[in-house]
Amino acid sequence: NSGRHGDATEASDKSLKLEVRDICEIAERFQNDLPFKCPELDLTIQFGRSLSGLLNGEIDALDLMFPRGNLSSGLDFYEHSPAAQAINSTLASAIKTLASELSDGEKIRILEVGGGTGATTASVLSALSGINFEYCFSDISSLFTRNADERFGHIEGFTSEVIDIGDPAATKNRLSDQFDLVIAANVVHATADLEVSLSNIYSMIAPGGYLTLIEAEPGQDWLEMVFGNMTGWWAFKDQRAGKNTPLLEFSEWQSTLR
């Protein structure tokens, strides 16, 4: 029996390697045929070819995404991909419209949580040119806040802060009712408890303020293959327990946000 089990495991491993190799080769051919650069395909190829090392622990997913802490290597995906540009452009346009409705001299106070590489930040700050604002960039990691300071610190009204939106005590009193708008782009799903994280976010929004929530939906295999190798992807301990993804369908977000 043990021999047959070993043979089956070996056959399964070979099948997986062949399937991943085929996916990578298809992605490379597709990339070569495209008239524009598609960082999503680059990530699929990069993580696909490294999948064995990722699964057995020889390769760290964050190091693969950001070699030696170099965030610029991840900007192609987060900032320059056609999908990211479309999303960030739409968000920036909406915020500019919101800010344009302010009275003369009135200031819009914005908090971005889970700001990461600053891709969303760059689009929004560009849209806010000529508008009176305060913009607080935050992330759970000081690596990202330091990078944001280096990149945007020269802009008047910009500040940064380390905030863990998943910590029940993260925002008590100090940041309560402080912001007219909170931006949460692809971050809330990566926390252990959606209700705790959303409660923290709501507590920081001033009366009459807004939350802009951007989230991917499940069912995108390439996305799951890349980010499913990162520890934070599996941090959830709430109603998503037992699922094979932290991502929610649109209808599930509607129910959660009510």
Side-chain angles (χ1 to χ4, degrees), residues 60-79:
D60 181 82
L62 278 177
D63 287 339
L64 190 60
M65 177 74 80
F66 306 114
R68 296 178 296 280
N70 179 11
L71 302 187
S72 62
S73 61
L75 280 181
D76 265 354
F77 169 67
Y78 287 105
E79 190 166 344

Side-chain angles (χ1 to χ4, degrees), residues 24 41-51 54 64-65 67:
C24 292
L41 287 174
D42 290 338
L43 277 182
T44 300
I45 296 166
Q46 184 181 16
F47 275 73
R49 295 204 182 284
S50 304
L51 192 56
L54 287 163
L64 190 60
M65 177 74 80

Side-chain angles (χ1 to χ4, degrees), residues 125 145-160:
L125 288 176
T145 56
R146 287 196 304 270
N147 177 72
D149 285 335
E150 293 173 3
R151 190 175 177 190
F152 308 114
H154 65 283
I155 299 174
E156 185 176 355
F158 178 88
T159 59
S160 72

Side-chain angles (χ1 to χ4, degrees), residues 67-137:
R68 296 178 296 280
N70 179 11
L71 302 187
S72 62
S73 61
L75 280 181
D76 265 354
F77 169 67
Y78 287 105
E79 190 166 344
H80 302 140
S81 72
Q85 287 180 335
I87 292 169
N88 291 333
S89 175
T90 300
L91 172 63
S93 177
I95 293 174
K96 186 173 184 177
T97 299
L98 176 65
S100 67
E101 297 174 356
L102 297 173
S103 303
D104 289 343
E106 193 176 357
K107 181 181 294 185
I108 185 170
R109 302 164 299 171
I110 300 173
L111 169 68
E112 182 182 358
V113 295
T117 61
T120 299
T121 319
S123 293
V124 175
L125 288 176
S126 178
L128 291 173
S129 178
I131 295 171
N132 193 13
F133 70 88
E134 291 178 1
Y135 194 104
C136 179
F137 173 100

Side-chain angles (χ1 to χ4, degrees), residues 2-258:
S2 60
R4 287 198 297 272
H5 176 72
D7 291 342
T9 301
E10 185 178 351
S12 177
D13 289 344
K14 287 181 178 179
S15 176
L16 175 62
K17 289 178 180 178
L18 285 172
E19 184 176 343
V20 170
R21 188 186 68 186
D22 290 344
I23 291 171
C24 292
E25 289 177 354
I26 291 169
E28 285 181 337
R29 290 199 299 271
F30 192 34
Q31 180 74 291
N32 292 334
D33 291 339
L34 285 176
F36 54 86
K37 185 173 176 60
C38 184
E40 292 91 335
L41 287 174
D42 290 338
L43 277 182
T44 300
I45 296 166
Q46 184 181 16
F47 275 73
R49 295 204 182 284
S50 304
L51 192 56
S52 176
L54 287 163
L55 294 176
N56 64 29
E58 293 178 358
I59 299 174
D60 181 82
L62 278 177
D63 287 339
L64 190 60
M65 177 74 80
F66 306 114
R68 296 178 296 280
N70 179 11
L71 302 187
S72 62
S73 61
L75 280 181
D76 265 354
F77 169 67
Y78 287 105
E79 190 166 344
H80 302 140
S81 72
Q85 287 180 335
I87 292 169
N88 291 333
S89 175
T90 300
L91 172 63
S93 177
I95 293 174
K96 186 173 184 177
T97 299
L98 176 65
S100 67
E101 297 174 356
L102 297 173
S103 303
D104 289 343
E106 193 176 357
K107 181 181 294 185
I108 185 170
R109 302 164 299 171
I110 300 173
L111 169 68
E112 182 182 358
V113 295
T117 61
T120 299
T121 319
S123 293
V124 175
L125 288 176
S126 178
L128 291 173
S129 178
I131 295 171
N132 193 13
F133 70 88
E134 291 178 1
Y135 194 104
C136 179
F137 173 100
S138 73
D139 197 274
I140 190 174
S141 169
S142 59
L143 170 66
F144 290 122
T145 56
R146 287 196 304 270
N147 177 72
D149 285 335
E150 293 173 3
R151 190 175 177 190
F152 308 114
H154 65 283
I155 299 174
E156 185 176 355
F158 178 88
T159 59
S160 72
E161 187 159 346
V162 173
I163 296 176
D164 178 4
I165 60 168
D167 180 355
T171 61
K172 283 185 177 177
N173 301 320
R174 187 170 55 86
L175 296 175
S176 295
D177 303 331
Q178 291 294 305
F179 300 97
D180 304 304
L181 172 68
V182 173
I183 301 169
N186 292 307
V187 60
V188 176
H189 73 269
T191 59
D193 191 305
L194 297 178
E195 288 190 10
V196 170
S197 300
L198 289 170
S199 178
N200 275 339
I201 290 172
Y202 289 149
S203 74
M204 295 185 281
I205 302 175
Y210 299 89
L211 165 64
T212 298
L213 181 71
I214 299 172
E215 287 287 346
E217 287 193 280
Q220 303 178 68
D221 291 344
W222 74 270
L223 194 69
E224 306 270 359
M225 183 182 72
V226 172
F227 294 98
N229 283 289
M230 298 185 183
T231 305
W233 189 261
W234 305 104
F236 53 91
K237 300 175 182 178
D238 52 11
Q239 69 265 32
R240 297 167 293 172
K243 290 189 173 185
N244 61 2
T245 178
L247 302 178
L248 271 63
E249 300 282 357
F250 180 70
S251 59
E252 293 176 304
W253 276 115
Q254 287 181 307
S255 299
T256 302
L257 292 168
R258 286 196 179 102

